[in-house]
Amino acid sequence: ADQRFRVVQADQRERLPARVRDYDAILVTGSPRSMVEPEAWMLRMGEYLRDAAEQRVPVLGVCFGHQVLGHVCGGKVRRSARGREIGTVTCELTAEGREDPLFDGVPARFDVQATHEDVVEEGSGEMEILATNAHTDNQAFRVGRYIRAVQFHPEVDAATMRALIESRAAQLEAARVRALFAGIRPTPHGTKILENFLHHFT
């Protein structure tokens, strides 16, 4: 069935919907902003998302959304000690991830596109890690039944990742840019993860 979306630009101080139960689910996207130095609107949004989950509205955080949810769920958001992760990356599901419906039909090792400098660390006891890799320990997590979050970008395809690398080429070493371009691969499991969220959580 067709999905209808309402886009709210929280970073532009647009008001969040007053009645969260009017929506089947919430998706929080990536952003150039950072939770390392959180602004008031980010903290308000985090509490809104936590409240939505308590009202049984499923929430999926992507990249920045992952970090907002990580913060409100007791984690620490920091700059990665390993630097920026960018390009096509391979993640591995944990035991919890292999049985979570968000990853239904996704193999234990899967490729996705990623670009981020911040990471979520030191989650609370209720935060369960669903996916990881050598660069970023917390590539995906869940809290309870209604909160899911992924650090990578399931919505980004290979062509978009190539454009993102090109846009950041001036900040990267030439040899790394060449290696990143050479490593770009299709990532159909990203689409599957988004489909799973719609199918299993709404």
Side-chain angles (χ1 to χ4, degrees):
D2 291 338
Q3 307 295 328
R4 291 184 300 161
F5 296 88
R6 175 183 172 185
V7 177
V8 178
Q9 294 180 307
D11 62 331
Q12 301 298 317
R13 311 302 192 269
E14 186 175 346
R15 292 176 62 88
L16 299 169
R19 289 173 47 86
V20 70
R21 291 292 297 273
D22 287 346
Y23 298 87
D24 295 320
I26 299 173
L27 172 64
V28 189
T29 67
S31 171
R33 308 309 254 295
S34 173
M35 280 297 295
V36 171
E37 297 180 352
E39 301 174 38
W41 68 268
M42 301 177 191
L43 301 176
R44 286 195 301 271
M45 183 172 69
E47 293 301 327
Y48 180 91
L49 298 173
R50 186 69 187 242
D51 182 62
E54 290 174 356
Q55 295 187 55
R56 301 182 179 181
V57 176
V59 180
L60 176 64
V62 172
C63 197
F64 174 75
H66 172 272
Q67 294 152 17
V68 172
L69 287 169
H71 175 87
V72 78
C73 292
K76 302 292 185 184
V77 182
R78 297 191 173 97
R79 286 271 191 259
S80 172
R82 299 174 180 129
R84 175 176 290 279
E85 183 175 41
I86 185 171
T88 306
V89 303
T90 301
C91 296
E92 184 168 352
L93 294 176
T94 63
E96 292 77 12
R98 288 193 291 273
E99 55 85 18
D100 194 274
L102 186 66
F103 294 98
D104 183 31
V106 175
R109 288 174 59 83
F110 61 99
D111 290 341
V112 281
Q113 311 297 342
T115 175
H116 67 102
E117 291 182 290
D118 301 343
V119 293
V120 177
E121 299 177 345
E122 299 175 15
S124 67
E126 62 181 347
M127 184 185 294
E128 297 178 283
I129 305 299
L130 303 180
T132 186
N133 72 2
H135 184 282
T136 302
D137 294 337
N138 186 347
Q139 284 282 1
F141 73 84
R142 71 183 176 200
V143 173
R145 183 174 177 181
Y146 295 100
I147 290 178
R148 297 294 185 277
V150 296
Q151 180 58 74
F152 51 83
H153 282 274
E155 80 284 8
V156 171
D157 61 13
T160 303
M161 179 48 62
R162 177 173 288 277
L164 286 168
I165 294 169
E166 287 175 348
S167 74
R168 293 190 177 278
Q171 289 86 45
L172 301 169
E173 294 180 3
R176 188 181 182 197
V177 171
R178 290 193 296 272
L180 289 170
F181 281 146
I184 293 175
R185 301 180 295 281
T187 50
H189 294 113
T191 301
K192 177 64 173 170
I193 291 165
L194 294 174
E195 291 173 348
N196 284 343
F197 180 67
L198 290 175
H199 179 72
H200 292 297
F201 291 84
T202 64

